[in-house]
Amino acid sequence: MIPKDCRYTNEHEWIRPDGPDHVKIGITDYAQGALGDIVFVELPSTGLTLTQMQPFGTIEAVKTVSDLFSPIDGEVVEVNEAVKSDPSIVNKSPHGEGWMIRARLARPGQMDDLLTPEAYEEIVRGLDGGA
């Protein structure tokens, strides 16, 4: 499941336009599957300045803890409180209800530099051993 209306990072985050200069950010279906059962998500406060490819939070699964990296420069304008109170939402709906943050883009053209759905699909296919 790789939605066509998103852009992607090599670190398995997705970003989807959500208004003229806003986006939603989350982790991909591949990432949630690789992590396993997600038990805790640490997300930033609104107002935090995001820097591309710098951590903005962490996600903890039964097996490991991983950083969440921002795909863009911007500012956090909303945090998904539902995910904070029930992290399993990310496992159930990583590209839908399991979004992490909503952000205002500092540089809207920056999204064009991220992976297209097709390019991300090639990466995932390689990780799955060509399956």
Side-chain angles (χ1 to χ4, degrees):
M1 173 174 67
I2 299 176
K4 301 294 185 196
D5 61 343
C6 298
R7 290 291 184 129
Y8 298 89
T9 69
N10 287 316
E11 287 72 31
H12 307 287
E13 280 91 12
W14 59 260
I15 181 168
R16 175 182 292 131
D18 189 49
D21 61 347
H22 289 77
V23 293
K24 284 185 177 174
I25 297 170
I27 66 166
T28 66
D29 185 54
Y30 177 86
Q32 70 79 24
L35 286 167
D37 293 336
I38 296 169
V39 295
F40 182 77
V41 177
E42 180 182 12
L43 297 175
S45 300
T46 58
L48 177 78
T49 298
L50 300 168
T51 302
Q52 188 175 37
M53 301 323 300
Q54 294 298 309
F56 68 82
T58 59
I59 188 163
E60 182 176 341
V62 173
K63 298 185 273 185
T64 188
V65 177
S66 296
D67 285 327
L68 296 165
F69 294 95
S70 178
I72 47 91
D73 296 330
E75 177 186 350
V76 176
V77 296
E78 186 178 353
V79 173
N80 190 346
E81 296 294 335
V83 164
K84 288 174 71 174
S85 62
D86 182 7
S88 70
I89 293 172
V90 178
N91 290 118
K92 296 172 192 162
S93 179
H95 294 274
E97 298 301 313
W99 60 275
M100 302 287 175
I101 59 172
R102 186 167 183 258
R104 179 179 303 115
L105 294 165
R107 298 186 296 140
Q110 198 173 30
M111 281 188 63
D112 296 337
D113 298 333
L114 299 173
L115 296 169
T116 64
E118 294 77 18
Y120 181 70
E121 188 172 7
E122 284 295 317
I123 289 171
V124 170
R125 190 175 300 134
L127 294 171
D128 285 342

